[in-house]
């Protein structure tokens, strides 16, 4: 192989490595196929995800950089695009029969959301319950995510004797968020699947880089590079 050929291969190798690193650490892309984020994001919009908006790195080497802000549009690891409306530590409540639920004094459509009165978990938050099976499903789900091999086992709970018997407690390992779609009537979101851990948030959705009408394929040029 000639020196020129070797140099060319090295250049392509460097470019390829740079693209892989950018794709892994910085750049993310997602198609929004549903009406869940209308009117700001339409079905057929392709969005750019800034993976470095909140953290840098992957897996156990992840370094937190900035906080997720209320009302940021974020994408999860599964490329689900929603708005962060509930922050770690926020109170969230809904009574039976209510058509709205409340997060820190702001109301949102309840849909099929069940009655509850909880605090959105944050790292280090401790909850207490004498009967583990009576934990709210959202809390159970979060505990299962943090301890997939030990779900509902008393091994993951601290216990202390009291006049009422054994009281179990659990300390959450990370922050959680409530993610909702702007178009609440057509959104599969935290009202159904519960709190989303920070580790499941891929990054912040910054802008629409491409858009096409889903049925006809007609390009919507006015939406190209529209910031969100």
């Amino acid at each position: 192989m000639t020196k020129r050929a070797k140099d060319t291969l090295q250049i392509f190798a460097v470019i390829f490595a740079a693209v892989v690193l950018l794709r892994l650490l910085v750049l993310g892309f997602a198609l929004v196929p549903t009406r869940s984020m209308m009117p700001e994001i339409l079905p057929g919009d392709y969005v750019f995800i800034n993976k470095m908006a909140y953290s840098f790195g992957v897996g156990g080497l992840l370094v937190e950089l900035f906080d997720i802000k209320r009302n940021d549009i974020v994408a999860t690891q599964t490329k689900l695009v929603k708005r962060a409306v509930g922050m770690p530590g926020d109170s969230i409540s809904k009574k039976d029969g209510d058509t709205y639920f409340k997060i820190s004094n702001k109301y949102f459509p309840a849909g099929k959301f069940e009655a509850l009165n909880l605090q959105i978990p944050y790292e280090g938050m401790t909850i207490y319950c004498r009967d583990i099976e009576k934990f709210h499903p959202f809390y159970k789900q979060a505990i299962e995510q943090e301890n997939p091999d030990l779900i509902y086992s008393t091994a993951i709970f601290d216990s202390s004797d009291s006049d009422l018997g054994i009281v179990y407690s659990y300390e959450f390992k990370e922050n959680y968020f409530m993610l909702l779609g702007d178009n609440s009537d057509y959104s599969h979101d935290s009202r159904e699947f519960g709190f989303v851990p920070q580790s499941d948030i891929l990054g912040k959705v910054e802008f629409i880089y491409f858009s096409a009408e889903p049925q006809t394929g007609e390009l919507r040029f006015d939406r190209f590079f529209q910031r969100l």
Side-chain angles (χ1 to χ4, degrees), residues 1 12 17-18 35 55-56 62 72 75 77 90 112 122 124 126 130 132 171 179 193 206 212 219 223 226 228:
M1 181 181 294
F12 276 110
R35 295 178 285 175
S55 60
F56 178 76
L62 197 65
D72 279 358
Q77 296 289 349
D90 280 354
K112 297 179 180 178
Y122 56 87
T126 301
R130 290 183 61 201
I132 297 171
E171 182 177 310
L179 305 184
F193 51 70
E206 300 279 9
L219 298 183
R223 300 188 64 77
Q226 180 177 307
L228 298 168

Side-chain angles (χ1 to χ4, degrees), residues 20-168:
V20 170
L21 285 174
L22 283 171
R23 193 71 175 83
L24 182 65
L25 301 175
V26 181
L27 308 177
F29 307 95
L31 164 66
V32 178
T34 70
R35 295 178 285 175
S36 66
M37 287 299 292
M38 288 178 62
E40 192 157 7
I41 301 177
L42 303 179
D45 282 347
Y46 291 76
V47 297
F48 169 78
I49 304 163
N50 179 5
K51 294 184 179 181
M52 287 186 60
Y54 310 120
S55 60
F56 178 76
V58 291
L61 300 177
L62 197 65
V63 177
E64 300 299 330
L65 298 176
F66 304 103
D67 293 334
I68 297 171
K69 294 182 175 62
R70 192 184 305 276
N71 292 323
D72 279 358
I73 299 178
V74 302
T76 67
Q77 296 289 349
T78 58
K79 305 296 181 67
L80 193 66
V81 174
K82 302 294 176 186
R83 192 178 297 276
V85 300
M87 299 290 103
D90 280 354
S91 60
I92 173 172
S93 60
K94 176 187 177 296
K95 296 179 181 179
D96 284 324
D98 287 350
T99 56
Y100 290 85
F101 71 97
K102 183 170 70 171
I103 299 178
S104 294
N105 297 318
K106 187 172 181 179
Y107 290 86
F108 300 88
K112 297 179 180 178
F113 204 36
E114 296 180 357
L116 83 172
N117 186 12
L118 300 176
Q119 190 174 21
I120 299 178
Y122 56 87
E123 183 180 359
M125 172 181 156
T126 301
I127 56 175
Y128 299 91
C129 184
R130 290 183 61 201
D131 185 349
I132 297 171
E133 290 302 321
K134 290 183 180 178
F135 277 4
H136 189 277
F138 283 5
Y139 279 167
K140 287 183 180 180
Q141 179 196 49
I143 293 170
E144 182 178 18
Q145 287 177 320
E146 294 188 351
N147 305 273
D149 298 327
L150 296 174
I151 184 60
Y152 307 151
S153 167
T154 57
I156 64 172
F157 291 87
D158 296 325
S159 64
S160 60
D161 291 326
S162 71
D163 294 336
L164 299 175
I166 295 178
V167 178
Y168 293 100

